[in-house]
Amino acid sequence: MNDNLFRYNSRITRKNREALNKHKAIAIWFTGLSGAGKSTLAHALEERLHQMECRTYVLDGDNIRYGLCSDLGFSVADRKENVRRVGEVVKLAVDAGLITMAAFISPIKKDRDYVKSLFSEGDFIEVYCRCSLKVCEQRDVKGLYKRARLGEIPCFTGITSGYDEPVSADLVVDTDQVTIEEGVDRILALLENIR
């Protein structure tokens, strides 16, 4: 840590922001293979929360790599740094009073555990979007699995790079077996005490 840095504590706190928003701020971390439905589920949840007049924001893996993480590749070290940066942004957004959804493959358990450690008990929910590799490849809307199978994309999760399946996620949504609406309902049931 730099000895020349000093944390400034705002007089407006997270509790003040939550009171203004009339809901608790929380981080909801969506993990799963490419094509498992993380972003789809996160955005559908955001729409429903918006209808409930909640203050929300979704951070999406691809979108973040256009800016904040545009300097990173997909090596293990780069994936770790990507998740670390996003975790810090999510922490700031929760402090700002937002219900913040992060949709990231985040294949390494240790990295997901690090992000979770940034939050107090009850401020972080891990949602595992579980979907078979076969279905993810069938969906393959971006054509990434096909390119990975052809050797055009190195370090592709599920094909040439591993994925540490969550063993203690707060919620598992089998996205190849339930509708988006059912998935959203299940997450909202976890958030029933948000107001």
Side-chain angles (χ1 to χ4, degrees):
M1 185 55 78
N2 189 324
D3 290 338
N4 298 321
L5 298 177
F6 300 91
R7 187 176 297 277
Y8 186 88
N9 294 311
S10 174
R11 288 183 287 183
I12 304 299
T13 67
R14 174 181 161 187
K15 291 293 180 200
N16 298 133
R17 297 177 190 110
E18 288 176 335
L20 184 65
N21 292 341
K22 297 183 178 73
H23 64 75
K24 177 180 170 27
I26 194 166
I28 307 168
W29 190 274
F30 295 81
T31 181
L33 295 174
S34 178
K38 301 175 300 299
S39 294
T40 301
L41 192 54
H43 284 282
L45 175 64
E46 182 183 40
E47 287 178 26
R48 188 88 66 86
L49 288 167
H50 184 76
Q51 292 168 358
M52 297 165 59
E53 299 184 349
C54 294
R55 306 293 183 257
T56 61
Y57 198 77
V58 175
L59 296 165
D60 177 81
D62 283 351
N63 293 349
I64 288 290
R65 284 185 176 270
Y66 280 110
L68 180 67
C69 296
S70 62
D71 60 325
L72 300 175
F74 292 92
S75 68
V76 172
D78 284 350
R79 286 172 185 265
K80 178 184 181 91
E81 177 59 14
N82 182 61
V83 170
R84 186 197 70 78
R85 289 181 192 179
V86 171
E88 293 293 344
V89 171
V90 172
K91 182 180 174 186
L92 290 171
V94 169
D95 186 58
L98 301 176
I99 299 170
T100 310
M101 291 141 282
F104 290 81
I105 294 172
S106 48
I108 302 166
K109 179 186 183 308
K110 186 176 179 182
D111 298 341
R112 294 191 306 265
D113 289 345
Y114 167 77
V115 172
K116 186 174 183 174
S117 77
L118 297 174
F119 297 88
S120 299
E121 184 74 29
D123 287 347
F124 183 91
I125 294 173
E126 182 182 51
V127 177
Y128 174 29
C129 295
R130 184 167 57 192
C131 186
S132 71
L133 179 60
K134 180 180 179 181
V135 171
C136 288
E137 287 195 72
Q138 288 170 350
R139 291 176 177 170
D140 201 13
V141 294
K142 302 172 191 174
L144 299 176
Y145 282 101
K146 182 178 180 182
R147 290 182 56 211
R149 293 273 186 205
L150 293 171
E152 296 174 6
I153 303 175
C155 301
F156 190 80
T157 305
I159 305 298
T160 54
S161 184
Y163 178 79
D164 298 337
E165 197 168 333
V167 293
S168 59
D170 298 290
L171 179 65
V172 177
V173 179
D174 291 299
T175 58
D176 54 356
Q177 298 175 26
V178 301
T179 66
I180 295 166
E181 292 75 22
E182 289 169 332
V184 168
D185 288 342
R186 292 186 64 198
I187 298 167
L188 286 174
L190 277 181
L191 300 176
E192 63 184 16
N193 296 324
I194 203 139
R195 289 202 178 262

